[in-house]
Amino acid sequence: MLSGGATTFQKTNPDVSLSRESYSQAAVNLSIGQRNKFALGNAFFTAPWQPESSVESSRTGLGPLFNAAACQDCHIRDGRGHPPTESLSESSVLRVALINGEPDPIYGHQIQTRALPGFLPEAVPDIYWQNSSVALADGETISMRKPFVVLEQLHYGPLADGHGLSLRVAPAMIGLGLLESIAASAILAGEDVGDSDGDGISGRVNRVWSQETSATVIGRFGWKAGQPSIRQQSLLAFQQDIGISSQLYPYQPCTSVQTDCLASQSSIRPELSDEIEEVLLFYASHLAVPARRWHDRKEVLAGKALFHTLGCAGCHQPSWRTARLDNHPVLSEQLIWPYTDMLLHDMGEGLADGVSEYSAQGNEWRTAPLWGVHLAKAVGGAEVGFLHDGRARDFKEAIMWHGGEAQASREAWASLKRDDREKLIWFLKSL
Ligand code: HEC
Ligand code: HEC
């Protein structure tokens, strides 16, 4: 039941308290002092940042180009963002890259859809949904949908030839410090680049640039494991999503053609103070994973067995033990159940975005953790979806989008008896 080891948050009655705050709890083994730090960090995660000079406060520096004014606008109640409907929602981002993974020379790595007065936002993404459905052998029909993006009002000129666009919703913030505490050597030991064991599932580590250590290290965070640490991912979010510079990223996300943006570089550099950075990162590293529910029910146990026999566990690796951290017992040597191998897998053309990120290709994604997944909609609302762009409205649709190395697993599930298919879903609903 304790998906996050000793950090796990357990509700008193799992049936009646599927609450909106399920992802917002502190790791339960924090000390009182650490709880205060967590609460302080929470305030900076939640409250909107203001434009510079509008008010005298440590919370200024928003923009000039940005997507949202607060972390929480995208990571809704510390959970996932909403998939866009017709235009880009506030809780997803649109990344751009050339075929070789380089940023677009005009727009950079990400389209900033908002701007302060006097500046032009980069573009207006329009989203179109292509609907389809699949009929399984016994007559059950599963609806599927896939988003397409068209960029309107490109205010700084056309995108480079051969660019790709990748729509991504914000993932949940739970358990990130635990994932960061898994030893790199343990993740590397799980790599199976050429599928040497012949089970049809390979899996490799993304090797990414660490801005902190100026070295290539293993990627852990983001849908393609493109970022090595909570710190780098979070400070990049400050820069790219909110327009706040930090020690690690001391500039605004302006490219050389965006002269207004360049001219507005803040005189206070970096805009994010070290003190705020510290509490914010403490917060981002210590959001508790909620406990499992129904772990001993008959249909859940049957679903768990299927999860293994269908090959889901080949990527969604159930458990890990975090490394020994002598100066941070909270996250040290915890037995955790994230259901991810932290590796990239070819997921087929249906999920491919045509954008590479370090060694991850367009069709490759990091196995999404499944811990706490039963609470995703309780936290974020019915419109919350699964997979990197939030397209899947429920677990069945999420499974049916699994292709590439996961195709055999998907087909095995689809050809089960209806009863057994449901048992697997019950298992997911217990995580
Ligand atoms: C405009 C929306 C948006 C805002 C604002 C935003 N994020 Fe994110 N966040 C995302 C998206 C989208 C991803 C997935 C990125 C990817 O796959 O490249 C993400 C990923 C992350 C991750 C990695 C999670 C994981 O499971 O791999 C962390 C940590 C994170 N964000 C922290 C923050 C912090 C801290 C802030 C505020 C400074 C913030 N984010 C603001 C959209 C946002
Ligand atoms: C080859 C590896 C692989 C196998 C096998 C696999 N998955 Fe996945 N799974 C992934 C990856 C990678 C993602 C993220 C894909 C994306 O976001 O586009 C994912 C995403 C998911 C999600 C959505 C999670 C989220 O946070 O949105 C669910 C649910 C899921 N898988 C369940 C299953 C089940 C059930 C099975 C077995 C029938 C299975 N998976 C088999 C790799 C795999």
Side-chain angles (χ1 to χ4, degrees), residues 159-193:
L159 283 159
D161 285 343
H163 68 271
L165 296 173
S166 182
L167 178 65
R168 305 203 186 163
V169 296
M173 296 290 299
I174 52 174
L176 301 181
L178 293 167
L179 296 180
E180 193 170 61
S181 305
I182 299 173
S185 55
I187 298 176
L188 286 164
E191 262 195 315
D192 179 15
V193 178

PDB file of all heavy atoms in Angstrom, residues 159-193:
ATOM      1  N   LEU A 159       8.174  29.651 -38.889  1.00  0.00           N
ATOM      2  CA  LEU A 159       9.037  28.662 -38.232  1.00  0.00           C
ATOM      3  C   LEU A 159      10.024  28.105 -39.259  1.00  0.00           C
ATOM      4  O   LEU A 159       9.749  28.127 -40.463  1.00  0.00           O
ATOM      5  CB  LEU A 159       8.189  27.516 -37.683  1.00  0.00           C
ATOM      6  CG  LEU A 159       7.430  27.800 -36.381  1.00  0.00           C
ATOM      7  CD1 LEU A 159       6.267  26.837 -36.234  1.00  0.00           C
ATOM      8  CD2 LEU A 159       8.356  27.683 -35.184  1.00  0.00           C
ATOM      9  N   ALA A 160      11.149  27.613 -38.780  1.00  0.00           N
ATOM     10  CA  ALA A 160      12.157  27.038 -39.681  1.00  0.00           C
ATOM     11  C   ALA A 160      11.580  25.822 -40.400  1.00  0.00           C
ATOM     12  O   ALA A 160      10.684  25.149 -39.883  1.00  0.00           O
ATOM     13  CB  ALA A 160      13.385  26.636 -38.883  1.00  0.00           C
ATOM     14  N   ASP A 161      12.104  25.546 -41.594  1.00  0.00           N
ATOM     15  CA  ASP A 161      11.681  24.351 -42.328  1.00  0.00           C
ATOM     16  C   ASP A 161      11.999  23.109 -41.511  1.00  0.00           C
ATOM     17  O   ASP A 161      13.016  23.057 -40.833  1.00  0.00           O
ATOM     18  CB  ASP A 161      12.447  24.252 -43.656  1.00  0.00           C
ATOM     19  CG  ASP A 161      11.900  25.265 -44.648  1.00  0.00           C
ATOM     20  OD1 ASP A 161      10.781  25.773 -44.417  1.00  0.00           O
ATOM     21  OD2 ASP A 161      12.610  25.553 -45.631  1.00  0.00           O
ATOM     22  N   GLY A 162      11.124  22.131 -41.626  1.00  0.00           N
ATOM     23  CA  GLY A 162      11.405  20.838 -41.009  1.00  0.00           C
ATOM     24  C   GLY A 162      11.272  20.851 -39.496  1.00  0.00           C
ATOM     25  O   GLY A 162      11.822  19.999 -38.809  1.00  0.00           O
ATOM     26  N   HIS A 163      10.536  21.795 -38.955  1.00  0.00           N
ATOM     27  CA  HIS A 163      10.361  21.824 -37.504  1.00  0.00           C
ATOM     28  C   HIS A 163       9.293  20.808 -37.094  1.00  0.00           C
ATOM     29  O   HIS A 163       8.453  20.430 -37.894  1.00  0.00           O
ATOM     30  CB  HIS A 163       9.920  23.218 -37.047  1.00  0.00           C
ATOM     31  CG  HIS A 163       8.539  23.564 -37.520  1.00  0.00           C
ATOM     32  ND1 HIS A 163       8.303  24.183 -38.728  1.00  0.00           N
ATOM     33  CD2 HIS A 163       7.325  23.331 -36.969  1.00  0.00           C
ATOM     34  CE1 HIS A 163       6.998  24.312 -38.882  1.00  0.00           C
ATOM     35  NE2 HIS A 163       6.372  23.810 -37.846  1.00  0.00           N
ATOM     36  N   GLY A 164       9.359  20.374 -35.872  1.00  0.00           N
ATOM     37  CA  GLY A 164       8.304  19.530 -35.316  1.00  0.00           C
ATOM     38  C   GLY A 164       7.698  20.225 -34.116  1.00  0.00           C
ATOM     39  O   GLY A 164       8.341  21.065 -33.481  1.00  0.00           O
ATOM     40  N   LEU A 165       6.443  19.900 -33.818  1.00  0.00           N
ATOM     41  CA  LEU A 165       5.763  20.496 -32.669  1.00  0.00           C
ATOM     42  C   LEU A 165       5.363  19.378 -31.720  1.00  0.00           C
ATOM     43  O   LEU A 165       4.930  18.318 -32.157  1.00  0.00           O
ATOM     44  CB  LEU A 165       4.491  21.229 -33.120  1.00  0.00           C
ATOM     45  CG  LEU A 165       4.678  22.428 -34.045  1.00  0.00           C
ATOM     46  CD1 LEU A 165       3.318  22.932 -34.528  1.00  0.00           C
ATOM     47  CD2 LEU A 165       5.426  23.535 -33.328  1.00  0.00           C
ATOM     48  N   SER A 166       5.515  19.605 -30.425  1.00  0.00           N
ATOM     49  CA  SER A 166       5.145  18.581 -29.452  1.00  0.00           C
ATOM     50  C   SER A 166       4.290  19.196 -28.359  1.00  0.00           C
ATOM     51  O   SER A 166       4.726  20.082 -27.638  1.00  0.00           O
ATOM     52  CB  SER A 166       6.411  17.972 -28.838  1.00  0.00           C
ATOM     53  OG  SER A 166       6.066  16.958 -27.924  1.00  0.00           O
ATOM     54  N   LEU A 167       3.066  18.714 -28.294  1.00  0.00           N
ATOM     55  CA  LEU A 167       2.118  19.207 -27.297  1.00  0.00           C
ATOM     56  C   LEU A 167       2.272  18.353 -26.031  1.00  0.00           C
ATOM     57  O   LEU A 167       2.236  17.131 -26.114  1.00  0.00           O
ATOM     58  CB  LEU A 167       0.713  19.044 -27.875  1.00  0.00           C
ATOM     59  CG  LEU A 167      -0.460  19.441 -27.005  1.00  0.00           C
ATOM     60  CD1 LEU A 167      -0.444  20.933 -26.737  1.00  0.00           C
ATOM     61  CD2 LEU A 167      -1.761  19.063 -27.709  1.00  0.00           C
ATOM     62  N   ARG A 168       2.449  19.011 -24.888  1.00  0.00           N
ATOM     63  CA  ARG A 168       2.635  18.244 -23.645  1.00  0.00           C
ATOM     64  C   ARG A 168       1.849  18.848 -22.499  1.00  0.00           C
ATOM     65  O   ARG A 168       1.915  20.051 -22.279  1.00  0.00           O
ATOM     66  CB  ARG A 168       4.113  18.237 -23.254  1.00  0.00           C
ATOM     67  CG  ARG A 168       4.955  17.720 -24.396  1.00  0.00           C
ATOM     68  CD  ARG A 168       6.260  17.189 -23.951  1.00  0.00           C
ATOM     69  NE  ARG A 168       7.059  16.853 -25.118  1.00  0.00           N
ATOM     70  CZ  ARG A 168       8.356  16.666 -25.100  1.00  0.00           C
ATOM     71  NH1 ARG A 168       8.999  16.787 -23.961  1.00  0.00           N
ATOM     72  NH2 ARG A 168       9.001  16.353 -26.192  1.00  0.00           N
ATOM     73  N   VAL A 169       1.156  18.008 -21.775  1.00  0.00           N
ATOM     74  CA  VAL A 169       0.495  18.490 -20.561  1.00  0.00           C
ATOM     75  C   VAL A 169       1.471  18.359 -19.393  1.00  0.00           C
ATOM     76  O   VAL A 169       2.391  17.548 -19.415  1.00  0.00           O
ATOM     77  CB  VAL A 169      -0.814  17.728 -20.218  1.00  0.00           C
ATOM     78  CG1 VAL A 169      -1.869  17.939 -21.287  1.00  0.00           C
ATOM     79  CG2 VAL A 169      -0.570  16.258 -19.989  1.00  0.00           C
ATOM     80  N   ALA A 170       1.239  19.168 -18.378  1.00  0.00           N
ATOM     81  CA  ALA A 170       2.075  19.115 -17.187  1.00  0.00           C
ATOM     82  C   ALA A 170       1.795  17.814 -16.444  1.00  0.00           C
ATOM     83  O   ALA A 170       0.637  17.457 -16.243  1.00  0.00           O
ATOM     84  CB  ALA A 170       1.780  20.309 -16.291  1.00  0.00           C
ATOM     85  N   PRO A 171       2.836  17.078 -16.032  1.00  0.00           N
ATOM     86  CA  PRO A 171       2.612  15.868 -15.227  1.00  0.00           C
ATOM     87  C   PRO A 171       2.399  16.211 -13.746  1.00  0.00           C
ATOM     88  O   PRO A 171       2.636  17.341 -13.329  1.00  0.00           O
ATOM     89  CB  PRO A 171       3.903  15.073 -15.409  1.00  0.00           C
ATOM     90  CG  PRO A 171       4.917  15.989 -15.983  1.00  0.00           C
ATOM     91  CD  PRO A 171       4.252  17.279 -16.347  1.00  0.00           C
ATOM     92  N   ALA A 172       1.974  15.219 -12.983  1.00  0.00           N
ATOM     93  CA  ALA A 172       1.782  15.415 -11.539  1.00  0.00           C
ATOM     94  C   ALA A 172       3.135  15.570 -10.854  1.00  0.00           C
ATOM     95  O   ALA A 172       4.162  15.106 -11.342  1.00  0.00           O
ATOM     96  CB  ALA A 172       1.029  14.232 -10.950  1.00  0.00           C
ATOM     97  N   MET A 173       3.135  16.221  -9.707  1.00  0.00           N
ATOM     98  CA  MET A 173       4.379  16.552  -8.994  1.00  0.00           C
ATOM     99  C   MET A 173       4.717  15.556  -7.881  1.00  0.00           C
ATOM    100  O   MET A 173       5.687  15.748  -7.155  1.00  0.00           O
ATOM    101  CB  MET A 173       4.249  17.949  -8.377  1.00  0.00           C
ATOM    102  CG  MET A 173       4.104  19.074  -9.385  1.00  0.00           C
ATOM    103  SD  MET A 173       5.623  19.404 -10.327  1.00  0.00           S
ATOM    104  CE  MET A 173       6.765  19.862  -9.018  1.00  0.00           C
ATOM    105  N   ILE A 174       3.932  14.487  -7.707  1.00  0.00           N
ATOM    106  CA  ILE A 174       4.137  13.598  -6.558  1.00  0.00           C
ATOM    107  C   ILE A 174       5.378  12.708  -6.716  1.00  0.00           C
ATOM    108  O   ILE A 174       5.703  12.273  -7.821  1.00  0.00           O
ATOM    109  CB  ILE A 174       2.908  12.694  -6.321  1.00  0.00           C
ATOM    110  CG1 ILE A 174       2.518  11.973  -7.612  1.00  0.00           C
ATOM    111  CG2 ILE A 174       1.756  13.493  -5.766  1.00  0.00           C
ATOM    112  CD1 ILE A 174       1.404  10.949  -7.445  1.00  0.00           C
ATOM    113  N   GLY A 175       6.057  12.490  -5.592  1.00  0.00           N
ATOM    114  CA  GLY A 175       7.129  11.491  -5.538  1.00  0.00           C
ATOM    115  C   GLY A 175       8.393  11.818  -6.317  1.00  0.00           C
ATOM    116  O   GLY A 175       9.234  10.941  -6.510  1.00  0.00           O
ATOM    117  N   LEU A 176       8.555  13.071  -6.756  1.00  0.00           N
ATOM    118  CA  LEU A 176       9.690  13.370  -7.639  1.00  0.00           C
ATOM    119  C   LEU A 176      11.037  13.227  -6.932  1.00  0.00           C
ATOM    120  O   LEU A 176      12.012  12.773  -7.529  1.00  0.00           O
ATOM    121  CB  LEU A 176       9.544  14.778  -8.231  1.00  0.00           C
ATOM    122  CG  LEU A 176       8.264  15.008  -9.060  1.00  0.00           C
ATOM    123  CD1 LEU A 176       8.248  16.430  -9.618  1.00  0.00           C
ATOM    124  CD2 LEU A 176       8.158  13.997 -10.191  1.00  0.00           C
ATOM    125  N   GLY A 177      11.078  13.593  -5.645  1.00  0.00           N
ATOM    126  CA  GLY A 177      12.338  13.467  -4.910  1.00  0.00           C
ATOM    127  C   GLY A 177      12.763  12.007  -4.795  1.00  0.00           C
ATOM    128  O   GLY A 177      13.961  11.691  -4.808  1.00  0.00           O
ATOM    129  N   LEU A 178      11.794  11.118  -4.692  1.00  0.00           N
ATOM    130  CA  LEU A 178      12.114   9.686  -4.624  1.00  0.00           C
ATOM    131  C   LEU A 178      12.705   9.218  -5.954  1.00  0.00           C
ATOM    132  O   LEU A 178      13.703   8.496  -5.978  1.00  0.00           O
ATOM    133  CB  LEU A 178      10.854   8.881  -4.285  1.00  0.00           C
ATOM    134  CG  LEU A 178      10.285   9.104  -2.875  1.00  0.00           C
ATOM    135  CD1 LEU A 178       8.882   8.508  -2.771  1.00  0.00           C
ATOM    136  CD2 LEU A 178      11.209   8.492  -1.819  1.00  0.00           C
ATOM    137  N   LEU A 179      12.095   9.647  -7.061  1.00  0.00           N
ATOM    138  CA  LEU A 179      12.622   9.234  -8.367  1.00  0.00           C
ATOM    139  C   LEU A 179      14.033   9.780  -8.575  1.00  0.00           C
ATOM    140  O   LEU A 179      14.878   9.131  -9.183  1.00  0.00           O
ATOM    141  CB  LEU A 179      11.698   9.708  -9.499  1.00  0.00           C
ATOM    142  CG  LEU A 179      10.293   9.106  -9.512  1.00  0.00           C
ATOM    143  CD1 LEU A 179       9.485   9.650 -10.686  1.00  0.00           C
ATOM    144  CD2 LEU A 179      10.351   7.579  -9.585  1.00  0.00           C
ATOM    145  N   GLU A 180      14.269  10.979  -8.032  1.00  0.00           N
ATOM    146  CA  GLU A 180      15.597  11.569  -8.167  1.00  0.00           C
ATOM    147  C   GLU A 180      16.616  10.816  -7.306  1.00  0.00           C
ATOM    148  O   GLU A 180      17.814  10.859  -7.576  1.00  0.00           O
ATOM    149  CB  GLU A 180      15.554  13.038  -7.757  1.00  0.00           C
ATOM    150  CG  GLU A 180      16.789  13.819  -8.157  1.00  0.00           C
ATOM    151  CD  GLU A 180      16.600  15.312  -7.953  1.00  0.00           C
ATOM    152  OE1 GLU A 180      16.364  15.741  -6.810  1.00  0.00           O
ATOM    153  OE2 GLU A 180      16.673  16.059  -8.940  1.00  0.00           O
ATOM    154  N   SER A 181      16.129  10.130  -6.275  1.00  0.00           N
ATOM    155  CA  SER A 181      17.037   9.434  -5.351  1.00  0.00           C
ATOM    156  C   SER A 181      17.349   7.996  -5.751  1.00  0.00           C
ATOM    157  O   SER A 181      18.068   7.295  -5.038  1.00  0.00           O
ATOM    158  CB  SER A 181      16.441   9.438  -3.936  1.00  0.00           C
ATOM    159  OG  SER A 181      16.156  10.748  -3.528  1.00  0.00           O
ATOM    160  N   ILE A 182      16.799   7.543  -6.863  1.00  0.00           N
ATOM    161  CA  ILE A 182      17.203   6.216  -7.354  1.00  0.00           C
ATOM    162  C   ILE A 182      18.618   6.360  -7.910  1.00  0.00           C
ATOM    163  O   ILE A 182      18.891   7.305  -8.657  1.00  0.00           O
ATOM    164  CB  ILE A 182      16.253   5.726  -8.469  1.00  0.00           C
ATOM    165  CG1 ILE A 182      14.820   5.601  -7.940  1.00  0.00           C
ATOM    166  CG2 ILE A 182      16.726   4.399  -9.043  1.00  0.00           C
ATOM    167  CD1 ILE A 182      13.785   5.291  -9.028  1.00  0.00           C
ATOM    168  N   ALA A 183      19.512   5.450  -7.540  1.00  0.00           N
ATOM    169  CA  ALA A 183      20.899   5.565  -8.000  1.00  0.00           C
ATOM    170  C   ALA A 183      20.959   5.465  -9.522  1.00  0.00           C
ATOM    171  O   ALA A 183      20.291   4.623 -10.125  1.00  0.00           O
ATOM    172  CB  ALA A 183      21.744   4.461  -7.375  1.00  0.00           C
ATOM    173  N   ALA A 184      21.772   6.328 -10.139  1.00  0.00           N
ATOM    174  CA  ALA A 184      21.935   6.289 -11.592  1.00  0.00           C
ATOM    175  C   ALA A 184      22.392   4.903 -12.038  1.00  0.00           C
ATOM    176  O   ALA A 184      21.936   4.379 -13.061  1.00  0.00           O
ATOM    177  CB  ALA A 184      22.930   7.355 -12.040  1.00  0.00           C
ATOM    178  N   SER A 185      23.252   4.288 -11.230  1.00  0.00           N
ATOM    179  CA  SER A 185      23.779   2.970 -11.620  1.00  0.00           C
ATOM    180  C   SER A 185      22.658   1.931 -11.692  1.00  0.00           C
ATOM    181  O   SER A 185      22.675   1.041 -12.540  1.00  0.00           O
ATOM    182  CB  SER A 185      24.842   2.523 -10.622  1.00  0.00           C
ATOM    183  OG  SER A 185      24.298   2.546  -9.309  1.00  0.00           O
ATOM    184  N   ALA A 186      21.651   2.077 -10.809  1.00  0.00           N
ATOM    185  CA  ALA A 186      20.532   1.125 -10.825  1.00  0.00           C
ATOM    186  C   ALA A 186      19.702   1.298 -12.096  1.00  0.00           C
ATOM    187  O   ALA A 186      19.270   0.319 -12.712  1.00  0.00           O
ATOM    188  CB  ALA A 186      19.659   1.328  -9.585  1.00  0.00           C
ATOM    189  N   ILE A 187      19.498   2.543 -12.526  1.00  0.00           N
ATOM    190  CA  ILE A 187      18.718   2.778 -13.747  1.00  0.00           C
ATOM    191  C   ILE A 187      19.502   2.267 -14.956  1.00  0.00           C
ATOM    192  O   ILE A 187      18.954   1.579 -15.822  1.00  0.00           O
ATOM    193  CB  ILE A 187      18.382   4.279 -13.894  1.00  0.00           C
ATOM    194  CG1 ILE A 187      17.516   4.735 -12.706  1.00  0.00           C
ATOM    195  CG2 ILE A 187      17.662   4.548 -15.223  1.00  0.00           C
ATOM    196  CD1 ILE A 187      17.205   6.222 -12.688  1.00  0.00           C
ATOM    197  N   LEU A 188      20.803   2.566 -14.964  1.00  0.00           N
ATOM    198  CA  LEU A 188      21.642   2.113 -16.086  1.00  0.00           C
ATOM    199  C   LEU A 188      21.665   0.595 -16.178  1.00  0.00           C
ATOM    200  O   LEU A 188      21.701   0.022 -17.268  1.00  0.00           O
ATOM    201  CB  LEU A 188      23.067   2.660 -15.926  1.00  0.00           C
ATOM    202  CG  LEU A 188      23.210   4.156 -16.237  1.00  0.00           C
ATOM    203  CD1 LEU A 188      24.523   4.704 -15.680  1.00  0.00           C
ATOM    204  CD2 LEU A 188      23.120   4.412 -17.746  1.00  0.00           C
ATOM    205  N   ALA A 189      21.608  -0.078 -15.031  1.00  0.00           N
ATOM    206  CA  ALA A 189      21.645  -1.542 -15.025  1.00  0.00           C
ATOM    207  C   ALA A 189      20.405  -2.126 -15.705  1.00  0.00           C
ATOM    208  O   ALA A 189      20.428  -3.260 -16.181  1.00  0.00           O
ATOM    209  CB  ALA A 189      21.753  -2.048 -13.588  1.00  0.00           C
ATOM    210  N   GLY A 190      19.318  -1.346 -15.772  1.00  0.00           N
ATOM    211  CA  GLY A 190      18.090  -1.841 -16.389  1.00  0.00           C
ATOM    212  C   GLY A 190      18.039  -1.640 -17.893  1.00  0.00           C
ATOM    213  O   GLY A 190      17.136  -2.137 -18.563  1.00  0.00           O
ATOM    214  N   GLU A 191      19.001  -0.901 -18.435  1.00  0.00           N
ATOM    215  CA  GLU A 191      19.012  -0.651 -19.878  1.00  0.00           C
ATOM    216  C   GLU A 191      19.122  -1.954 -20.649  1.00  0.00           C
ATOM    217  O   GLU A 191      19.840  -2.865 -20.244  1.00  0.00           O
ATOM    218  CB  GLU A 191      20.228   0.217 -20.243  1.00  0.00           C
ATOM    219  CG  GLU A 191      19.923   1.669 -20.389  1.00  0.00           C
ATOM    220  CD  GLU A 191      21.072   2.397 -21.093  1.00  0.00           C
ATOM    221  OE1 GLU A 191      22.237   2.155 -20.740  1.00  0.00           O
ATOM    222  OE2 GLU A 191      20.791   3.204 -21.986  1.00  0.00           O
ATOM    223  N   ASP A 192      18.416  -2.004 -21.800  1.00  0.00           N
ATOM    224  CA  ASP A 192      18.445  -3.211 -22.627  1.00  0.00           C
ATOM    225  C   ASP A 192      18.352  -2.721 -24.063  1.00  0.00           C
ATOM    226  O   ASP A 192      17.346  -2.887 -24.727  1.00  0.00           O
ATOM    227  CB  ASP A 192      17.237  -4.098 -22.246  1.00  0.00           C
ATOM    228  CG  ASP A 192      17.168  -5.367 -23.078  1.00  0.00           C
ATOM    229  OD1 ASP A 192      18.172  -5.700 -23.739  1.00  0.00           O
ATOM    230  OD2 ASP A 192      16.097  -6.003 -23.077  1.00  0.00           O
ATOM    231  N   VAL A 193      19.441  -2.081 -24.504  1.00  0.00           N
ATOM    232  CA  VAL A 193      19.387  -1.306 -25.738  1.00  0.00           C
ATOM    233  C   VAL A 193      18.972  -2.133 -26.950  1.00  0.00           C
ATOM    234  O   VAL A 193      18.069  -1.777 -27.682  1.00  0.00           O
ATOM    235  CB  VAL A 193      20.725  -0.572 -25.988  1.00  0.00           C
ATOM    236  CG1 VAL A 193      20.672   0.199 -27.290  1.00  0.00           C
ATOM    237  CG2 VAL A 193      21.012   0.369 -24.823  1.00  0.00           C
TER     238      VAL A 193
END
